Amino acid sequence: MLNLHIDLCLEPGTITRPSKQVNSNNLGSTIDLIWGTQQATEHVVECDTVEFLAKASDHLPIRTVLGFTPDIAEAREGWKYKAADWKAFRENLKAEINQRSRLLPCVLPDVLPCMLPCSDQTRTQDQIRTQAQIDDAAEALTEAIQRALQATVPKLRMTPKMRPGWNDECAEQIKKVKRAKRKFQGTRTQEDLNTWKELNMEKKKILQRALTDDHRERVSQVETVEQLWKLNKW
């Protein structure tokens, strides 16, 4: 086990299979072992047999307690693009760009022709001459886009426990199903039972559709073999 860089967590010689012989010096054998990596063994608080948990098996259960503080991923904020008002976003972005017209050069009409006023589209194209001007223009455009997003696109709290494809329609349908279930439990009528069943069937369709749409979107974004393997694991 030295080659594998793992160590024994259980105290050597611990009896894990007691002997059934009467009046014998043989107390039993150690045939159950607990191994751990070097990082894991450093956090072992307790590793021992627990006789009071033993039931029908002739092996004693082993309890291993690890003491450490896990790294908890912090929730991040993203943009809820599916609920965005893109018309309001374009109008807001146009206003933000106009406020930064001094920093944004005339080449922007080629990139965002629908965003800029005519006066900006007719400016000469010799304003970008240095690396500093490019950096200033990029920073100004990024700031304009971010401010337009903040004004028109809802925020999304992203956590590791987020369910793929989950959207407002899924959440609303689950609420309807729960309300219908509570109503049926209170009335016990056939009509309310049928309503509950219908809403529950519709919920399954909505959840499946959301998962399918999310998967298709992920597939459409694959550009490399690494991304394909990552999607396959997901």
Side-chain angles (χ1 to χ4, degrees):
M1 293 301 177
L2 292 176
N3 294 334
L4 298 177
H5 303 288
I6 57 177
D7 300 319
L8 187 64
C9 299
L10 190 64
E11 186 70 23
T14 302
I15 302 300
T16 62
R17 186 173 183 268
S19 173
K20 295 183 179 180
Q21 298 178 2
V22 181
N23 298 326
S24 172
N25 292 328
N26 181 17
L27 299 179
S29 56
T30 303
I31 59 176
D32 302 297
L33 302 175
I34 304 296
W35 298 93
T37 63
Q38 182 177 359
Q39 292 82 357
T41 54
E42 291 176 355
H43 296 283
V44 173
V45 176
E46 176 187 358
C47 185
D48 202 355
T49 57
V50 187
E51 295 188 10
F52 73 88
L53 291 178
K55 300 300 180 183
S57 175
D58 57 352
H59 293 252
L60 294 176
I62 301 174
R63 177 173 59 193
T64 303
V65 179
L66 301 177
F68 59 89
T69 302
D71 294 330
I72 301 177
E74 297 183 358
R76 298 179 292 110
E77 284 191 342
W79 302 107
K80 203 171 184 179
Y81 294 112
K82 293 182 179 180
D85 184 345
W86 293 115
K87 181 179 180 180
F89 170 78
R90 286 191 291 270
E91 294 176 353
N92 198 286
L93 180 57
K94 180 177 179 179
E96 292 291 341
I97 288 178
N98 287 338
Q99 294 178 10
R100 297 165 177 78
S101 58
R102 183 179 61 83
L103 296 175
L104 295 175
C106 60
V107 294
L108 282 177
D110 297 330
V111 182
L112 302 169
C114 61
M115 303 294 183
L116 298 176
C118 296
S119 59
D120 283 339
Q121 296 184 26
T122 57
R123 291 159 62 189
T124 59
Q125 298 192 8
D126 60 350
Q127 294 183 355
I128 289 187
R129 298 179 180 178
T130 65
Q131 180 66 44
Q133 290 175 326
I134 295 177
D135 294 339
D136 290 342
E139 183 178 350
L141 180 58
T142 300
E143 183 182 0
I145 294 174
Q146 288 294 325
R147 290 181 67 87
L149 285 172
Q150 293 173 1
T152 58
V153 181
K155 282 291 188 69
L156 177 65
R157 185 177 177 83
M158 304 172 66
T159 68
K161 295 184 178 180
M162 287 185 65
R163 286 161 284 190
W166 189 264
N167 53 39
D168 292 340
E169 186 181 12
C170 298
E172 183 60 31
Q173 186 64 24
I174 287 180
K175 290 180 181 179
K176 292 180 180 179
V177 173
K178 290 182 178 180
R179 285 195 295 265
K181 180 181 179 180
R182 289 194 298 267
K183 184 176 180 181
F184 166 70
Q185 290 174 336
T187 62
R188 293 291 175 177
T189 63
Q190 186 64 40
E191 180 181 0
D192 289 338
L193 175 61
N194 293 338
T195 301
W196 174 29
K197 289 183 176 180
E198 291 174 2
L199 290 173
N200 195 48
M201 289 296 297
E202 183 65 21
K203 179 200 71 173
K204 293 180 180 179
K205 294 179 181 179
I206 291 175
L207 293 180
Q208 184 59 48
R209 183 167 62 247
L211 287 173
T212 301
D213 292 344
D214 181 75
H215 182 70
R216 288 175 177 172
E217 184 177 351
R218 289 172 183 266
V219 171
S220 67
Q221 296 174 354
V222 172
E223 297 180 352
T224 65
V225 176
E226 289 77 12
Q227 291 176 334
L228 182 61
W229 280 111
K230 184 178 180 180
L231 178 64
N232 181 59
K233 291 181 180 179
W234 173 83

